[in-house]
Amino acid sequence: GGRPLVFVRGSDGEIRALYNTCSHRGAIVCRRDEGNAKTFQCFYHAWTFDNCGTLVGIPDPDGYDTPGFDRAQLGLKPVPRHESHRDFHFVCFDPEAPPLNDYLAGAREILDVVADQSLEGRMRVVSGTQRYSIRANWKLLAENSYDGYHAIPLHRTYLAYLQGSGALVTGGVAVAGGSRALGNGHAVIEYQAPWGRPVARFAPTFGEDAKREIEAIRADLFARHGEERGKRIADWNRNLGIFPNLVVNDIMAVTIRTFFPIRAGVMEVTAWELAPAEESGERLERRLHNFLEFLGPGGFATPDDVEALDSCQIGFAADGVEWSDVSRGMGREPRTDDELQMRTFWRAWRARMTDTPMPDWSDRPGKGTPR
């Protein structure tokens, strides 16, 4: 949200989110994106803080021999709220916000399915970060990130590539699934994967050498979680939007994506790859290849999406069309290519902009059309 933070595991083992702001004169203290450090020293006046946030060093401390100076109160300040679910850490700057578990609502269960890919029960962010910008309003990427309707026309090059390489396990992209609102503006589409998944769904493009390993992981997932949940973890994709601007897409790989507006028509996007903690070697290489091939800034999908959202922003600026139509699927049980997810997002956005309760609108046939 435009605030510099340090996210760090201290020497005492505790994970903290601290304002990356020197308590002396406000300079940024930690000036690296990632790494390991026992201390952080401000480059401006060399005030030094340990990795728990405590102020441990001041040049010429005798200069502060004054009654009002309390070193114990001048450590790096923690954010007002910092909570976690399954090692997904969230910060909030509103002390009056609801507890994280209440806010996540039905999204908690989807995060659990993602985290259960790991046989050790621990996921990790793979080192490395993708950063890019889109010349469009940030809310368009919220829509796009779980929009199943655009996949076939917009990403036809990728689908043709998969078809030609034999990577489509089902032989096509018309697969079982649906979409659900999860509460508090969150929504998900979940559907049987038409392609291989590095976690435990073999595709010929992974190579025959990988088949035995993937089948062993699959058997272990079934033993741990039962066949029904094991198949859901291994064989099903999910595009999750956590309101307002967090996306966890567990598709051919798992991406975490956040995006922030720079101005009304420009956003900055940051993305990471999530993987089971125990993955390494060829297993991790398969995952990263799948991730970059489709979701990377230079992959098959992301340039398509960027171009589409740039185009939408240009079209909106023309003022010829006042409203977007997101009514698709309102008259039937919602499918993955319907627009329940967008309606869920916009209802939450409107409720917050107007400081009104979340409306209890229904998409079921005969219940009327929300506006």
Side-chain angles (χ1 to χ4, degrees):
R3 298 167 174 88
L5 302 180
V6 180
F7 180 63
V8 58
R9 187 190 301 274
S11 297
D12 60 358
E14 183 177 341
I15 296 175
R16 293 175 173 84
L18 307 167
Y19 285 104
N20 191 8
T21 305
C22 184
S23 52
H24 174 225
R25 298 273 285 279
I28 298 297
V29 177
C30 178
R31 294 161 63 82
R32 294 179 181 269
D33 288 339
E34 60 180 312
N36 298 280
K38 292 183 178 180
T39 60
F40 302 108
Q41 185 175 85
C42 179
F43 76 106
Y44 194 10
H45 296 96
W47 279 35
T48 304
F49 307 84
D50 68 16
N51 57 20
C52 300
T54 303
L55 177 61
V56 295
I58 302 174
D60 186 20
D62 292 343
Y64 290 98
D65 187 16
T66 57
F69 186 82
D70 184 357
R71 180 186 292 208
Q73 300 300 315
L74 291 171
L76 297 177
K77 301 300 182 185
V79 297
R81 298 281 294 279
H82 170 208
E83 301 174 50
S84 66
H85 177 78
R86 295 294 297 270
D87 285 341
F88 289 91
H89 287 254
F90 296 79
V91 298
C92 181
F93 303 103
D94 178 8
E96 304 301 319
L100 174 65
N101 278 348
D102 293 348
Y103 182 74
L104 289 177
R108 295 196 311 270
E109 193 269 341
I110 304 300
L111 292 177
D112 289 342
V113 174
V114 173
D116 283 344
Q117 288 187 24
S118 169
L119 301 180
E120 295 182 359
R122 296 186 302 110
M123 302 291 282
R124 67 182 175 95
V125 172
V126 179
S127 181
T129 304
Q130 297 175 355
R131 291 189 178 95
Y132 54 96
S133 61
I134 304 177
R135 292 171 296 180
N137 187 274
W138 69 275
K139 296 183 287 295
L140 299 184
L141 186 56
E143 291 185 343
N144 174 267
S145 295
Y146 46 22
D147 173 15
Y149 194 27
H150 79 274
I152 293 177
L154 188 62
H155 301 316
R156 64 179 67 185
T157 303
Y158 179 66
L159 296 174
Y161 159 71
L162 292 182
Q163 190 79 54
S165 66
L168 287 178
V169 177
T170 62
V173 294
V175 292
S179 58
R180 305 195 307 279
L182 301 172
N184 293 329
H186 321 315
V188 68
I189 58 174
E190 196 166 9
Y191 50 101
Q192 187 175 10
W195 43 64
R197 285 167 48 83
V199 54
R201 182 173 174 82
F202 177 76
T205 48
F206 292 160
E208 285 301 312
D209 292 344
K211 189 171 186 178
R212 181 175 296 179
E213 181 183 30
I214 290 175
E215 288 178 349
I217 298 168
R218 186 180 183 89
D220 201 337
L221 283 173
F222 286 17
R224 289 170 180 267
H225 301 288
E227 184 173 351
E228 182 177 355
R229 184 174 179 83
K231 285 183 176 179
R232 186 181 175 200
I233 295 168
D235 296 343
W236 284 62
N237 289 342
R238 54 217 116 244
N239 295 47
L240 170 65
I242 296 178
F243 186 89
N245 64 332
L246 172 63
V247 170
V248 180
N249 280 352
D250 176 15
I251 40 181
M252 67 290 297
V254 187
T255 185
I256 304 173
R257 174 189 292 165
T258 60
F259 38 98
F260 294 93
I262 301 305
R263 52 184 183 272
V266 179
M267 73 180 99
E268 285 189 349
V269 186
T270 309
W272 302 267
E273 167 62 2
L274 193 68
E278 69 271 15
E279 272 193 4
S280 62
E282 292 185 4
R283 283 182 60 191
L284 184 58
E285 287 182 16
R286 285 196 297 271
R287 178 178 293 274
L288 293 178
H289 176 78
N290 271 24
F291 173 54
L292 293 170
E293 184 177 66
F294 186 69
L295 293 163
F300 278 100
T302 300
D304 292 345
D305 292 331
V306 170
E307 176 67 17
L309 301 191
D310 284 358
S311 175
C312 290
Q313 191 69 30
I314 294 169
F316 292 147
D319 292 333
V321 179
E322 187 175 5
W323 300 98
S324 291
D325 188 312
V326 289
S327 64
R328 180 175 169 84
M330 290 190 68
R332 64 186 179 197
E333 193 68 23
R335 305 185 332 194
T336 57
D337 59 353
D338 286 337
E339 293 171 334
L340 173 143
Q341 315 84 266
M342 295 73 169
R343 294 190 290 273
T344 300
F345 173 89
W346 283 110
R347 289 165 185 166
W349 182 85
R350 183 183 184 276
R352 284 161 175 78
M353 292 298 100
T354 58
D355 196 23
T356 56
M358 182 79 75
D360 185 21
W361 283 322
S362 173
D363 281 346
R364 287 175 295 173
K367 293 293 182 178
T369 303
R371 296 184 180 274

